Amino acid sequence: MSKPTLGNPQNTIEILQKYNFTFQKKFGQNFLIDTHVLDKIIRAAEITKEDMVLEIGPGIGTMTQYLAEAAGKVVAVEIDKNLIPILSDTLSAYENVTIINEDVLKLDIQKLANEENQGRPIKVVANLPYYITTPIIMGLFENHVPVESITVMVQKEVADRMQTGPGNKDYGALSLAVQYYAEPYIVANVPPNCFMPRPKVGSAVIRLTCHEQPPVEVKDERLMFDIIRASFNQRRKTLVNGLNNSDKLSFSKEEITEAIESLGKGSSVRGEALTLEEFAELSNYLWKYSHND
Ligand code: SAM
């Protein structure tokens, strides 16, 4: 195995010029040019030679080189066909890397994990394209892909939303969804000058360690998430009105009020005050009304 050659501005510029590469804004291309940040991501992901890593958006292969050093196997999915010849070049020294030229949102990752890792849990590591952060992460969770952990660079504001709890302005449907499936931990904040070109927003590395079992018992996950979304759709409204106004839910105002009171909360409470445990209790209580025949 050889040492990573990328991860600094000079070598990145050299490769980009060699292939006359032009950045595509629509693909959220901001390449990492800081070896300290790369080391931090690899350490936080706790990769061993036993692991298969899925990398989303390898770019020119900077982080892929680091991942290939640490992991048993790396599968990297890149949408931009102009990057494929570059990746063949920068990763030529690594035999444990497979590149797939595909839109990650269209890929059957469950099937990939089965084929490449015999269904054992994989680790996902990426400097994500920010425009599709939520669909990528929720896709992994909701499709029940066997994943042990997800260590990713995201927009700082999104990392804050994933990690925060009730009473915070960033708390919302994303916080609850992430915390239902995983334990979030912000590893580091990363400034724009660690990327080329520089993004307009701050970034953060977050590690999501997936739960083996969800931390709360829920009779109907879909119902709980419909309730959560309805509660935050109209942040300024009370929880009673938020749930009553939703076209996805068909509970009466009396049923909703009774369910909220069963939590020991008053009728003026807002969704943003409820914990994941309380949303689970609320949805289990309301579930009775959709199954009372
Ligand atoms: N990993 C590289 C690095 O850290 O330098 C590049 C990260 S860059 C923020 C995001 C990468 O994701 C780009 O290479 C982009 O082309 C790729 N990408 C964007 N949308 C994608 C999609 N739907 N499926 C797969 N890759 C995608």
Side-chain angles (χ1 to χ4, degrees):
M1 287 262 166
S2 50
K3 282 251 154 292
T5 53
L6 295 168
N8 64 51
Q10 297 83 331
N11 294 359
T12 300
I13 291 170
E14 210 172 281
I15 285 285
L16 296 175
Q17 285 179 343
K18 180 172 166 194
Y19 288 89
N20 211 1
F21 179 79
T22 41
F23 288 101
Q24 298 227 48
K25 226 176 168 182
K26 66 170 179 187
F27 289 147
Q29 294 177 336
N30 300 96
F31 298 165
L32 268 169
I33 49 167
D34 187 301
T35 52
H36 299 293
V37 175
L38 286 153
D39 284 332
K40 246 185 216 169
I41 296 172
I42 303 295
R43 262 203 313 275
E46 295 183 300
I47 301 160
T48 72
K49 284 287 167 197
E50 305 297 309
D51 291 321
M52 172 190 147
V53 173
L54 170 68
E55 187 191 6
I56 297 160
I60 60 169
T62 306
M63 194 152 75
T64 326
Q65 292 187 338
Y66 286 73
L67 292 170
E69 296 282 339
K73 194 186 245 186
V74 181
V75 177
V77 184
E78 175 55 61
I79 197 169
D80 186 353
K81 65 174 174 10
N82 294 331
L83 288 166
I84 305 304
I86 303 183
L87 289 163
S88 306
D89 179 355
T90 58
L91 301 170
S92 60
Y94 301 98
E95 284 173 2
N96 57 347
V97 179
T98 307
I99 302 294
I100 301 177
N101 184 198
E102 178 65 277
D103 177 347
V104 72
L105 295 178
K106 297 198 178 130
L107 194 71
D108 186 343
I109 300 175
Q110 173 104 40
K111 186 162 156 236
L112 184 82
N114 281 337
E115 286 170 3
E116 299 279 342
N117 208 35
Q118 293 76 48
R120 280 183 287 126
I122 59 171
K123 289 181 177 164
V124 176
V125 186
N127 170 16
L128 286 178
Y130 294 171
Y131 73 107
I132 44 171
T133 300
T134 305
I136 290 176
I137 292 182
M138 291 318 297
L140 291 168
F141 287 146
E142 286 171 356
N143 297 323
H144 297 283
V145 176
V147 178
E148 202 173 318
S149 62
I150 302 173
T151 307
V152 281
M153 181 84 73
V154 297
Q155 197 176 324
K156 178 170 173 355
E157 190 198 311
V158 175
D160 290 340
R161 274 162 51 202
M162 288 179 183
Q163 204 193 25
T164 197
N168 192 297
K169 70 171 176 30
D170 295 324
Y171 185 57
L174 182 67
S175 329
L176 285 152
V178 164
Q179 293 165 31
Y180 178 69
Y181 292 106
E183 167 97 40
Y185 166 70
I186 295 181
V187 175
N189 288 327
V190 181
N193 63 4
C194 296
F195 302 86
M196 184 185 292
R198 293 181 184 193
K200 291 203 174 65
V201 292
S203 302
V205 179
I206 189 162
R207 177 182 156 131
L208 309 175
T209 308
C210 302
H211 297 307
E212 279 180 27
Q213 293 293 329
V216 292
E217 235 176 84
V218 180
K219 294 197 192 303
D220 180 346
E221 279 181 15
R222 170 100 55 90
L223 173 63
M224 182 178 77
F225 284 114
D226 282 346
I227 290 174
I228 288 174
R229 272 188 290 270
S231 312
F232 288 96
N233 264 350
Q234 300 177 302
R235 261 184 187 270
R236 289 150 160 264
K237 292 232 155 86
T238 60
L239 183 57
V240 181
N241 286 336
L243 300 188
N244 196 36
N245 292 345
S246 160
D247 6 307
K248 286 246 169 111
L249 304 170
S250 53
F251 304 110
S252 70
K253 202 160 186 170
E254 291 67 41
E255 287 168 343
I256 296 168
T257 308
E258 187 188 307
I260 293 172
E261 280 172 0
S262 80
L263 298 176
K265 304 273 178 194
S267 57
S268 63
V269 73
R270 291 176 204 279
E272 62 205 22
L274 263 55
T275 61
L276 175 60
E277 289 71 19
E278 288 167 335
F279 273 112
E281 258 184 67
L282 186 66
S283 82
N284 289 344
Y285 196 97
L286 286 169
W287 180 83
K288 290 189 303 196
Y289 294 119
S290 42
H291 291 78
N292 61 354
D293 28 50

